[in-house]
Amino acid sequence: MYKRILVAVCTVFVFMSVSCDADFQPKPKGYHRISTLDKTIIPFNEQYPYTFNMPSYLEVEHVDRDKHWINLHSDYYNTTLHLTYRPIHNDLEKSLRNFTKLTYEHTKKADGIVEIFGEDLDRKVYSIFYELKGPSASSLQFIATDSFNHILRGSLYFNNIPNVDSIKPVHNVYKEDMKEILKSLEWKSLGN
């Protein structure tokens, strides 16, 4: 009986001495690491009233050919970039107001919004790039127009519940890719 007590005491003493030396820190809840893809830039130049350059990891989905609406989808990142086009018929102000309202609907959940204005006089592309901070359903959006004939809206959606920390690398990739789309955007005549 004394042997059993002695063994138990020694065992407890050994465990206590080992655990006292260990520097234990509770680990925070973690998420899997998202590796970014290597990409090449390819042109989107179909029978639509606009053309632009896009990363090769995106697949084009024709939502409505008559309205010139497309989605740029990535299975790897589980994202969809919705591109909504409207021809302007003396209703630029109304179209801008509607597209801006759609963007600001997301600020109910967002912590803030950053607007970056762009202008390229040679290509006649005037744009507003929106970055919504915090847990918004669509954290990156843009509106581009030539002020006379065309207006295009882009909005990025993650096809899962967004966790700002875990999607940050993909958010940054798309931020640059959407800026590339705006930088290369060109308008075609409405007959094309």
Side-chain angles (χ1 to χ4, degrees):
M1 171 131 162
Y2 290 117
K3 267 186 169 179
R4 287 185 191 172
I5 293 174
L6 183 61
V7 169
V9 169
C10 288
T11 304
V12 169
F13 178 72
V14 168
F15 281 120
M16 285 177 47
S17 65
V18 170
S19 66
C20 289
D21 291 340
D23 184 20
F24 175 76
Q25 293 290 325
K27 304 289 188 245
K29 187 176 181 180
Y31 297 92
H32 68 282
R33 176 186 163 97
I34 301 173
S35 299
T36 56
L37 295 172
D38 290 333
K39 65 181 171 194
T40 55
I41 301 298
I42 59 173
F44 172 82
N45 190 9
E46 297 188 19
Q47 295 298 317
Y48 283 61
Y50 51 86
T51 182
F52 54 84
N53 294 332
M54 62 183 233
S56 58
Y57 65 81
L58 293 174
E59 296 175 21
V60 177
E61 174 192 354
H62 300 278
V63 178
D64 189 330
R65 286 187 185 269
D66 293 335
K67 292 183 178 180
H68 310 295
W69 292 2
I70 62 172
N71 289 340
L72 302 177
H73 181 72
S74 170
D75 287 331
Y76 181 79
Y77 292 132
N78 197 22
T79 56
T80 304
L81 176 57
H82 300 273
L83 295 179
T84 307
Y85 172 83
R86 280 193 191 156
I88 297 172
H89 302 290
N90 295 321
D91 61 350
L92 174 63
E93 187 177 330
K94 179 182 175 187
S95 295
L96 281 172
R97 191 173 36 249
N98 288 339
F99 281 168
T100 303
K101 181 180 176 183
L102 288 172
T103 299
Y104 275 85
E105 287 283 320
H106 294 279
T107 59
K108 294 174 184 172
K109 296 266 184 180
D111 297 332
I113 187 167
V114 175
E115 295 177 344
I116 302 169
F117 295 89
E119 176 180 78
D120 188 314
L121 298 175
D122 294 332
R123 292 181 296 114
K124 295 183 174 86
V125 176
Y126 311 98
S127 63
I128 305 172
F129 186 87
Y130 299 98
E131 183 175 7
L132 287 83
K133 305 291 186 180
S136 172
S138 177
S139 60
L140 296 171
Q141 300 187 25
F142 68 78
I143 300 171
T145 183
D146 68 349
S147 298
F148 296 105
N149 299 309
H150 311 278
I151 189 165
L152 181 69
R153 178 176 185 267
S155 56
L156 174 67
Y157 287 88
F158 287 85
N159 301 321
N160 56 356
I161 298 171
N163 179 310
V164 177
D165 291 337
S166 64
I167 63 171
K168 184 90 169 145
V170 178
H171 172 92
N172 291 339
V173 167
Y174 268 98
K175 185 175 177 179
E176 296 308 312
D177 292 342
M178 290 172 71
K179 286 181 179 180
E180 174 63 32
I181 288 172
L182 286 173
K183 187 173 76 172
S184 62
L185 179 65
E186 292 187 24
W187 308 110
K188 298 180 189 176
S189 68
L190 290 174
N192 289 349

